[in-house]
Amino acid sequence: MEDERASEAAAIIWHNWSCHSRIKSLPEACRPASIAEGYEVQEALVNLTGWPPIGWKIAATSTAGQKHIGVDEPLAGRLLAGKMHRAGSELPVAHLHMAVIEAEFVFLLGEDLPARGRDYLPEDVVAATKALHCGLEIPDSRYENFTNVGAPQLIADNACTEFFVLGDAVSECWRNLDLAAHSAHLYINGKKVADGTGANVLGDPRIALAWLANDRVAQGGALRAGDIVTTGTCIVPQSIGPDDDVLADFGTLGKLSVRFTN
């Protein structure tokens, strides 16, 4: 993709992100036509935001999620410092188009995962992980109907990234747990609204992390030490609105909360 086309597409997305407005799709003249072109636009978009990238998010890590947005594999987006928040934060919700929240397992890498001539396995990426956290993602899209624009445009839109809430690192006992079987429960205003397990994330959050490591290499990059990677929702995304108090309970791994305002 020519630099000018990628820059034009990124500028359109950034304008709409900044103004909380929507488009039907990117103009055909600068619309990415492939996964690789989508990531070129995404990189240009990240540079426009001015927020340092601090890691990655994985979208569409469940069969239902992929079907919902019309893709057949996960998508990666950048986590940005300007959209990262700590547990207990208050966040605005009125501008959100999607207005949903997701509970996720999050890995902090302690080592680089560069190209090495063979795929990374889950045990490889776990060995390279410094810590496990729990997190909440509040995704959003700059498209009026994000379910029909296709993977390249979704990737260009940073894989529907908006807010991310990071909990504290959990006990090292997580390395002995079956994360696929581990439960998460979501409460809104004190009422339980969703249950899920790590198996909803590509079968296991560690499998999702390995997928991202291999996908980054395939795209000519790599995961790096210090990267935060949130692996996709383990619950069905739940609607949120002003004055909602949200609590995610990951059992022995801990809890985290966020409150939404106008």
Side-chain angles (χ1 to χ4, degrees):
M1 192 175 192
E2 297 90 347
D3 289 346
E4 294 81 4
R5 290 178 59 225
S7 296
E8 181 182 355
I12 292 169
I13 293 171
W14 177 233
H15 171 77
N16 284 276
W17 196 352
S18 302
C19 296
H20 302 154
S21 53
R22 313 287 165 207
I23 55 174
K24 287 186 177 181
S25 67
L26 287 166
E28 187 173 354
C30 64
R31 187 182 303 158
S34 66
I35 297 294
E37 288 189 356
Y39 283 118
E40 290 180 50
V41 178
Q42 183 183 110
E43 183 177 359
L45 173 65
V46 168
N47 292 335
L48 275 181
T49 71
W51 296 316
I54 55 176
W56 296 88
K57 64 161 282 184
I58 314 175
T61 51
S62 71
T63 302
Q66 291 173 14
K67 183 177 180 180
H68 181 57
I69 60 175
V71 301
D72 55 11
E73 64 178 346
L75 313 173
R78 300 309 306 265
L79 293 179
L80 302 170
K83 293 294 184 176
M84 173 73 77
H85 299 272
R86 288 289 175 178
S89 296
E90 288 193 352
L91 300 176
V93 71
H95 71 282
L96 298 177
H97 181 48
M98 296 170 68
V100 296
I101 193 165
E102 305 173 346
E104 312 201 358
F105 293 91
V106 187
F107 296 90
L108 172 63
L109 291 182
E111 301 175 16
D112 292 349
L113 295 173
R116 61 176 192 172
R118 66 187 189 280
D119 283 351
Y120 286 97
L121 301 174
E123 53 264 36
D124 300 324
V125 293
V126 167
T129 295
K130 181 178 181 180
L132 178 72
H133 298 246
C134 301
L136 292 165
E137 189 188 1
I138 301 91
D140 207 16
S141 175
R142 274 46 70 175
Y143 301 113
E144 292 175 3
N145 186 352
F146 62 92
T147 66
N148 67 8
V149 296
Q153 289 198 83
L154 290 171
I155 291 169
D157 190 32
N158 204 23
C160 299
T161 300
E162 179 61 6
F163 297 127
F164 181 67
V165 178
L166 183 67
D168 293 333
V170 309
S171 166
E172 275 292 297
C173 73
W174 73 267
R175 295 182 186 274
N176 300 316
L177 296 178
D178 181 357
L179 293 184
H182 196 84
S183 298
H185 312 282
L186 194 79
Y187 297 80
I188 297 181
N189 300 326
K191 179 182 178 181
K192 186 161 72 169
V193 295
D195 298 295
T197 67
N200 292 327
V201 184
L202 282 186
D204 189 311
R206 294 164 292 198
I207 293 174
L209 180 60
W211 173 87
L212 181 65
N214 294 321
D215 184 68
R216 290 300 85 216
V217 170
Q219 297 298 331
L223 296 181
R224 300 297 181 190
D227 278 349
I228 297 164
V229 178
T230 189
T231 52
T233 185
C234 56
I235 62 165
V236 175
Q238 297 295 308
S239 297
I240 50 173
D243 300 321
D244 278 348
D245 287 297
V246 178
L247 173 72
D249 185 349
F250 286 81
T252 57
L253 297 180
K255 303 176 181 178
L256 72 159
S257 64
V258 64
R259 177 174 173 79
F260 293 98
T261 66
N262 272 317

